[in-house]
Each structure stands twice: as structure tokens, then as C-alpha cells.
Amino acid sequence: MGASLTVIAIVIIYLGIMIMIGYISSKKINDNEDFLVAGRKMGPWLLAGSLAATEVGGGSSLGVVEKAYGDWGLSAVWYVITMAIAFVVLAFLAPMLREAAVKTVPEYFRRRYGEANSLVTSIIMLLPMVGLTAVQFIASATILSVMTGWSYTVSVIIVTVVVTLYSVMGGMYSVVYTDVVQWIFIIVGMVLIIPFTLQAGGGFEQVTANIPEAKWSLVDGAGWGTIIALVVMYIASFTVGQEAVQRYYSAKDGKAAKHASYITSFVYVLFAFIPAMIGLFMYGMVENGQIDGGMLMERGAQYALPVLAMEVLPDVVTGILFAALISATMSSASSNLLAAGSIFTNDIYHQYINKEAADRKLLKMVRYTMYVVSVFALLTAIWNVSDIITLLMFSFTLRAGGAFIPYVLGHVWEKATPAGSLASLFLGSLAVYLGEKEYISFFGLDPIYLALIVSGISFYVFSKLFKEQYEHRDL
């Protein structure tokens, strides 16, 4: 099943616009700080658009449609609403994060706790980035392949080249500006599909006639346990995630960072219901025999949205929607790519390989690193390792389990020490590993709970036992 030339043309134009934005943004780059944190000049609306697009990836678009179509029903909205809750919490932390005036999370650990803590944090933060980027390449390429009929390999190469080019050219400026454009595409594309779906299905009553009442529950499908676990996970992971906090470091001031969090939270609540309703409508149309359910069985429920688009949307709207779906994944890929380049250059290369490197040399190294990471991510995407998502979720939990406590409390508790931070990083991460491998069962709860408890206790105890302090330079 391939799309028309109109659809393909719209997507090609969109990809060209992304590269053009990257080229224009490159003219703003004068030094390494411009590249990594956009000169710390970003206002709340630009930041909000970038935050929104960064954390809404394939899971929050295709994934929510799939969950709503499947077991979760309307409760799939919590996959995104829990992100909104996390950003409300981050609104209170954002000014504090911005005030630190660092470029990366490991840089904060170095200034606050010393080099050993920084190196450990760099490794914990850097390792998942190749896989995280690869997963977004896979999602983007799959969509491109389905809609165009091009081979998966060709599609993933095209996606990799486009994302890498605009990210490397303009750095944070490019990523933020493309994020805003991509967020607009995501909202417009997803919203447009609803009226066309209802029209094709004979109206709301007809489309929903055979949807079981249980699928309309706001809670039952996902369950409170999953909802609460998502809130905890997002708060912990977003707070220490370089791809998220790098936006706060780019804010012109703490007020802009705080307002950006509130704006992002508000638009997430509105957005959450769009893919969930699409998934329910898709279920209703399959049950009514208006769409061939066999096609979904053949391709998998994750393709519910592309299949629906090809069935009910005009070509122009289909083109906008597919551009939107590619936007959702490309925005996350570019953020991960920049995060990887930032951490390696700022916290490994500059600290341990070439301490005397000039600013221009550091800027080149960030770009070289992004090229290397994109190549490894491309190879991973082509191999399309089957269990990579499991590995990535483990990595996501890993970075939050050990780093969240010393990162947040280090800003507010003066008696926090390097020993406390190291103990938290190692023992919290170990708790994640033992929980994920099911060597330890913490009342059947998600490993993040055990990790944060172990991390918090070890952070406090070791800070009390070993009271040596580092001078808080620039913090």
C-alpha cells in the first residue's frame, strides 16, 4: 500500500523545510554555548513548543492510538496526561535548574560533587542515547516506508540524513525551531483526522455504536498502578534527561523556564485525548466492518493510524498527517542526538581528553560526535534489534533511578556530599538492574520505586557519614 504522489510531495517538501531551518539556524552559531544552549536566549513559547515536541514521540502518537485501539481504551490518555503532571512538577524546579547555568546534567554533578560523580553520570546518561535515537529513526522510517512504498532501508537512510543535517547545522537553535514547526504539524495533522474519520464512518453514533462501554473508562484499561508509575517515571526521567533539561538551560531566565513548563503541561492535556479518540474510532470502524481489520492484523496494531489515514483522508490531509507522525519521532531523535553530542564533548572530551581545547575545537567535536552517534543509530535501526525497546526502557529507568535524588536535592540541600551522590548513583542504578531482572521483587511494583527509595536512603546516609564538601563553583 503506497501513498499518492501528492502525499509523497508534501512529505518531501516538509523534510526540505527541516533542512532549510537548520541552515538558517546555523547563521546564529558563534560559539559552543550558542550551539548547545542557544545562547540562553529562549523565551517561554519557543521553549514550550520545543519541550512539547521533544517528549511527544512515536509512543505518544502511534503508541497511544495503538493502546486505545487495544486494551487501554480511553484510559490511553494517561500516557500523555502523566507527562503533563510531570511538567507541572518541573515548573517548580525549572528556575532552579536554569540558575545553575550549566550546559549538561553531568556538568552540574562535576561542579557540585566533583569529577568522579560527573564521569559516572556521563556514562549513565550517554549510553542510552544511541538506542534512543535509533528507536526514533526506526519509527520515522517505518511510517515513511508504509506511506511511500519505499524500502525500509532507503527510508531510514533518508530520515537519518535529514535529522542529522538540521541538528548538526544549527544545534539547539535548529532543534528548537524545528521542534516548534514539528509540534504544529503534530497538532494539525492529528486534529484533522477526527472529522474525516467521523464523516467516513457515518457520524459519531454510528462509529461508536459497537465500542464496548468498558473501553470508555478513563482508568480501567491502564489501571491506577500503571498511571502512578508513569507519573513517577516521567518526573524522575525528565528531570535528569539531557534532552529535556537542555531546554531549561537554554531559557533566557528562570521565569521563562517556569512558564514554558506550564504551557507544555496545558497543551499535553489537550493533546492527550486526540490520539486516544482516534484509536477508539478506529476500533469502532473495524467492528462495524467499515475498515478491513485483517490489514491491521497483518501489519500490527501500531499501524492503526497510518491505515486509517489511507482509508479515510484526502491526499492533502494524509500528507499533513504523515508529516506530523514523522515530526513526532524526528523531534525526539534530534534532541537525543544533540544531547549525546553535548555530554560527550562537554563532560568527557573536554574533561579527560583535551582540557585545553578552544571553543571552536569543542564546537567541531560536538558536531563530529553527533555524526558518529547518528551512524551508530542508523546501523542499529537497520539491524532493527527486536528487543531494543525493552533495553531502552531499562536505560530510561536506569538514568532516573540513580541520578534523580542527588541532582534535585543537590540544588537545595547544602550538606549533600560527593560520597552521598556516588552512593546514590551506584546503589540506585543497581536497584534498577536487580528489579528489572526480577532478582528482587518490591511488592510487585515497578523497579523505579525501589530505586528511588534506595537512592534516597543511601544519599542521606552517606552524606551524613562522609561530610567532605566540594566548593560549589558557579552554583
Side-chain angles (χ1 to χ4, degrees), residues 83-419:
M83 291 185 187
I85 296 171
F87 275 107
V88 170
V89 175
L90 276 169
F92 293 95
L93 301 176
M96 180 177 66
L97 301 180
R98 171 60 180 85
E99 188 178 350
V102 295
K103 300 183 186 72
T104 64
V105 173
E107 182 182 346
Y108 173 82
F109 275 81
R110 181 170 63 254
R111 293 189 181 187
R112 181 65 174 86
Y113 301 117
E115 289 194 3
N117 275 272
S118 176
L119 181 59
V120 172
T121 310
S122 297
I123 294 170
I124 291 174
M125 299 292 169
L126 189 58
L127 285 178
M129 286 303 171
V130 170
L132 285 169
T133 306
V135 163
Q136 302 303 335
F137 284 170
I138 290 168
S140 297
T142 300
I143 297 164
L144 192 62
S145 177
V146 168
M147 54 161 270
T148 59
W150 299 338
S151 72
Y152 171 80
T153 301
V154 170
S155 298
V156 79
I157 290 172
I158 291 172
V159 168
T160 301
V161 169
V162 172
V163 173
T164 303
L165 279 178
Y166 77 68
S167 301
V168 168
M169 282 192 287
M172 180 57 81
Y173 275 116
S174 176
V175 170
V176 167
Y177 290 138
T178 52
D179 277 352
V180 172
V181 173
Q182 287 163 341
W183 181 241
I184 293 171
F185 266 91
I186 293 167
I187 292 293
V188 172
M190 298 289 277
V191 167
L192 281 176
I193 197 171
I194 291 179
F196 284 100
T197 300
L198 293 176
Q199 182 181 22
F204 182 83
E205 291 186 4
Q206 176 68 25
V207 169
T208 60
N210 291 317
I211 298 177
E213 186 176 348
K215 291 185 74 70
W216 291 103
S217 172
L218 269 172
V219 175
D220 291 346
W224 281 115
T226 298
I227 293 168
I228 295 171
L230 282 171
V231 172
V232 174
M233 170 65 71
Y234 283 141
I235 291 173
S237 187
F238 289 177
T239 304
V240 298
Q242 179 67 25
E243 78 284 351
V245 297
Q246 197 159 354
R247 270 79 184 149
Y248 293 126
Y249 299 156
S250 303
K252 64 180 181 181
D253 52 36
K255 186 177 179 181
K258 184 174 186 176
H259 288 170
S261 284
Y262 283 133
I263 296 169
T264 302
S265 179
F266 177 73
V267 297
Y268 270 6
V269 172
L270 297 180
F271 173 77
F273 288 87
I274 299 172
M277 292 303 297
I278 292 172
L280 284 174
F281 292 160
M282 183 72 179
Y283 181 90
M285 294 180 73
V286 170
E287 289 296 302
N288 294 341
Q290 295 167 307
I291 290 181
D292 182 8
M295 192 180 297
L296 288 183
M297 294 297 292
E298 179 185 341
R299 291 186 176 276
Q302 67 268 31
Y303 294 112
L305 187 52
V307 168
L308 178 62
M310 302 293 279
E311 291 283 337
V312 306
L313 294 183
D315 286 348
V316 172
V317 181
T318 302
I320 294 173
L321 176 65
F322 279 139
L325 296 177
I326 295 172
S327 292
T329 49
M330 284 175 57
S331 60
S332 298
S334 62
S335 297
N336 293 328
L337 204 55
L338 180 60
S342 302
I343 291 173
F344 178 81
T345 301
N346 194 62
D347 303 298
I348 296 179
Y349 176 80
H350 195 203
Q351 297 304 315
Y352 302 101
I353 299 175
N354 189 356
K355 287 191 173 183
E356 305 301 322
D359 189 82
R360 187 171 294 276
K361 178 69 173 179
L362 293 176
L363 181 55
K364 287 183 179 179
M365 183 53 60
V366 178
R367 286 175 161 148
Y368 291 156
T369 304
M370 292 170 72
Y371 281 126
V372 171
V373 171
S374 69
V375 169
F376 278 111
L378 171 62
L379 294 175
T380 304
I382 291 175
W383 291 329
N384 203 356
V385 180
S386 59
D387 63 349
I388 194 169
I389 293 180
T390 302
L391 174 63
L392 293 177
M393 292 308 297
F394 166 71
S395 301
F396 245 14
T397 308
L398 184 66
R399 77 177 185 184
F404 175 74
I405 296 293
Y407 181 60
V408 173
L409 294 188
H411 286 84
V412 297
W413 189 36
E414 292 184 359
K415 295 182 180 180
T417 68

